Amino acid sequence: MTELDEVLAQCAPSVGALLDRRVELTPDREAYRVRGPDDAWASLTWAQTKEEATILGAGLLSLGLAFEERVAIACSTRMKWVLLDLAVNMVGAATTTVYPNTKGEEFAHIVNHSDSRIFVAENADQLAKLHAEPHAGVRHVILLEGTDTGGDDRVLTWDALRERGKAHLAEQPGCVAEATAATGPDTLATLIYTSGTTGLPKGVELTHQCWTYEAAAVAHMGFLDETDSHLLWMPLSHVFGKCLIAVQLHIGFAAFVDGKIDQIVNGLGETHPSLMCGAPRIFEKVRNAVVTASPNGGLKGRISRWAFAVGAASRPYRLEGRPMPRLLAARYALADRLVFSKLKARLGGNIRFLVSGSAKLSPQVQQWFYSAGITIIEGYGMTESSAVTFLNPPSRPRFGTVGPAVPGTVARVADDGEILVKGPGVMRGYHKDPE
């Protein structure tokens, strides 16, 4: 059996089936934790997550949503986004992702070109964008915040959608389960528009197998398990964000959902996750926030500079898996106790590693964190390859590289320098553009 066969053997038929399997395995384990209006965190188990997504899925079916029809979501990262995306996939439909800051011609193009039948507006601002341009294909609109429909009789509130779902389940209890059973690996799951070198964004068609494979491939690498936890702030309209949802479903760890970028450091301190994924600018912000809060002068400043010098001297030994010389090891232990432990505590105290993607990470930032005993690994992928194509293992990272191809993916560099990728994570094609 090849490595690809081993990974595919672990794949569920669809995202909905993956959720079903997770609930069968760990129904009462914490799945999500969400910051409420009073800033207190509340939890959802896997069983509760499926129950809520089922209600929403039934609500979508009651609106006439059909197989592979699109639901466009214009919303920042929040729990309602996660639940709706799961619901859409459970009933065999597909999510069209729309960045909250998309507007004008590009916004109209995504909603119209995708033939989205249902539009999800986070708030009145997103609803106003829909009203600014003709979108004849949109039959229904779901408003997540507020009750002002703007005079549009297509608009339902979040609560109204849930009530429709409950009523539909009372009439047809098995409707969502039947839709999930009819959904297969080749069914369209997600339509993400990515900007090309010219013209309007192109719609990348990603199937259910793209997500179930990505999840199984990362799990196959063996550095995550269900006892881990993740602070999820990444834009869910981005391919990386959707990939993280799939990986979490497969492995079963908890995600703490909070899309407020200015609250990341606070969120780390409040939730104590074991990992966090993000773009390079976030790790630069975290580093700057810690450096700014640290004293520059006096005894504390000198101790901090000494500690990071010791950390820098330790890097070659730790990266190569060699024991440090006895004196350096003693100094590093002291530096950790005096300085690095405080940085780790600021990040929640439980971080095992961080993951950076979507752009190249500054070597200085990566080395600074590693000096303090915090590993940032890098990976590489595109929307067309479902986000994760290459990934460094956290046990032996190679700075300045994206790591090996994930299990089951084959890659090579063509004569012209183009990266060629083959594997189950590669897109089905460009929407309405087969060439």
Side-chain angles (χ1 to χ4, degrees), residues 76-405:
S76 59
T77 294
R78 56 192 297 170
M79 194 62 217
K80 288 180 180 179
W81 205 113
V82 175
L83 291 169
L84 270 172
D85 185 54
L86 290 173
V88 168
N89 282 172
M90 288 170 73
V91 300
T95 299
T96 300
T97 68
V98 186
Y99 279 101
N101 59 356
T102 303
K103 55 187 176 182
E105 182 184 15
E106 187 171 316
F107 177 92
H109 170 72
I110 291 173
V111 177
N112 287 325
H113 188 267
S114 66
D115 297 317
S116 290
R117 298 307 181 211
I118 296 176
F119 178 78
V120 178
E122 180 173 22
N123 49 35
D125 291 340
Q126 299 299 335
L127 181 59
K129 294 178 187 178
L130 187 75
H131 292 157
E133 301 283 347
H135 299 94
V138 175
R139 298 190 300 253
H140 302 282
V141 180
I142 300 165
L143 183 63
L144 302 188
E145 287 184 359
T147 57
D148 185 359
T149 65
D152 189 341
D153 58 10
R154 297 174 298 174
V155 178
L156 289 83
T157 64
W158 174 263
D159 289 340
L161 176 66
R162 292 185 76 256
E163 289 306 313
R164 287 187 67 103
K166 291 177 182 178
H168 196 63
L169 285 172
E171 295 176 1
Q172 301 181 40
C175 62
V176 175
E178 291 167 6
T180 298
T183 303
D186 296 328
T187 304
L188 181 66
T190 311
L191 187 57
I192 299 181
Y193 281 77
T194 183
S195 57
T197 53
T198 59
L200 290 167
K202 295 178 175 61
V204 177
E205 295 183 340
L206 300 172
T207 65
H208 281 258
Q209 185 179 59
C210 288
W211 300 126
T212 60
Y213 159 74
E214 289 283 322
V218 172
H220 191 76
M221 296 180 76
F223 56 79
L224 289 168
D225 62 44
E226 64 182 25
T227 65
D228 278 302
S229 56
H230 174 230
L231 181 63
L232 177 60
W233 63 268
M234 284 286 293
L236 296 178
S237 40
H238 190 282
V239 67
F240 195 4
K242 172 65 176 185
C243 185
L244 293 173
I245 294 175
V247 171
Q248 182 200 1
L249 282 174
H250 187 105
I251 298 175
F253 55 83
F256 311 137
V257 184
D258 188 1
K260 298 176 182 177
I261 295 178
D262 60 347
Q263 292 295 315
I264 288 177
V265 174
N266 289 339
L268 288 165
E270 293 169 0
T271 59
H272 315 289
S274 62
L275 72 146
M276 184 184 77
C277 302
R281 62 188 177 88
I282 294 303
F283 301 113
E284 293 164 4
K285 284 179 177 291
V286 171
R287 176 177 179 262
N288 291 339
V290 172
V291 170
T292 300
S294 302
N296 292 319
L299 179 60
K300 289 185 177 181
R302 290 197 298 273
I303 291 174
S304 179
R305 289 190 292 273
W306 169 82
F308 275 94
V310 171
S314 76
R315 289 200 303 259
Y317 298 95
R318 292 161 50 222
L319 286 170
E320 295 169 14
R322 294 186 290 128
M324 286 183 273
R326 187 174 300 175
L327 181 58
L328 179 58
R331 287 175 174 169
Y332 189 83
L334 181 59
D336 183 63
R337 187 165 72 250
L338 295 177
V339 177
F340 303 152
S341 61
K342 295 178 175 61
L343 168 59
K344 294 170 185 175
R346 186 80 189 277
L347 301 183
N350 290 323
I351 289 290
R352 293 202 296 118
F353 60 91
L354 305 166
V355 183
S356 179
S358 81
K360 180 174 173 55
L361 178 65
S362 162
Q364 290 79 16
V365 172
Q366 193 173 29
Q367 291 165 6
W368 183 85
F369 274 97
Y370 194 76
S371 294
I374 301 170
T375 301
I376 303 181
I377 60 173
E378 288 190 90
Y380 169 81
M382 299 178 293
T383 302
E384 288 85 345
S385 62
S386 308
V388 182
T389 306
F390 303 89
L391 185 62
N392 263 290
S395 58
R396 293 292 294 273
R398 292 183 60 194
F399 294 169
T401 77
V402 296

Side-chain angles (χ1 to χ4, degrees), residues 19-86:
L19 176 59
D20 288 344
R21 187 167 76 185
R22 174 48 47 202
V23 173
E24 290 174 7
L25 291 170
T26 56
D28 300 322
R29 182 178 285 275
E30 182 181 41
Y32 295 97
R33 197 178 304 172
V34 188
R35 190 195 297 272
D38 57 354
D39 281 340
W41 293 84
S43 292
L44 279 175
T45 65
W46 284 112
Q48 290 170 328
T49 299
K50 180 183 175 181
E51 179 182 8
E52 187 63 24
T54 300
I55 291 171
L56 297 172
L60 295 173
L61 290 175
S62 77
L63 296 175
L65 186 66
F67 188 73
E68 284 201 356
E69 281 192 335
R70 269 73 68 196
V71 176
I73 303 179
C75 180
S76 59
T77 294
R78 56 192 297 170
M79 194 62 217
K80 288 180 180 179
W81 205 113
V82 175
L83 291 169
L84 270 172
D85 185 54
L86 290 173

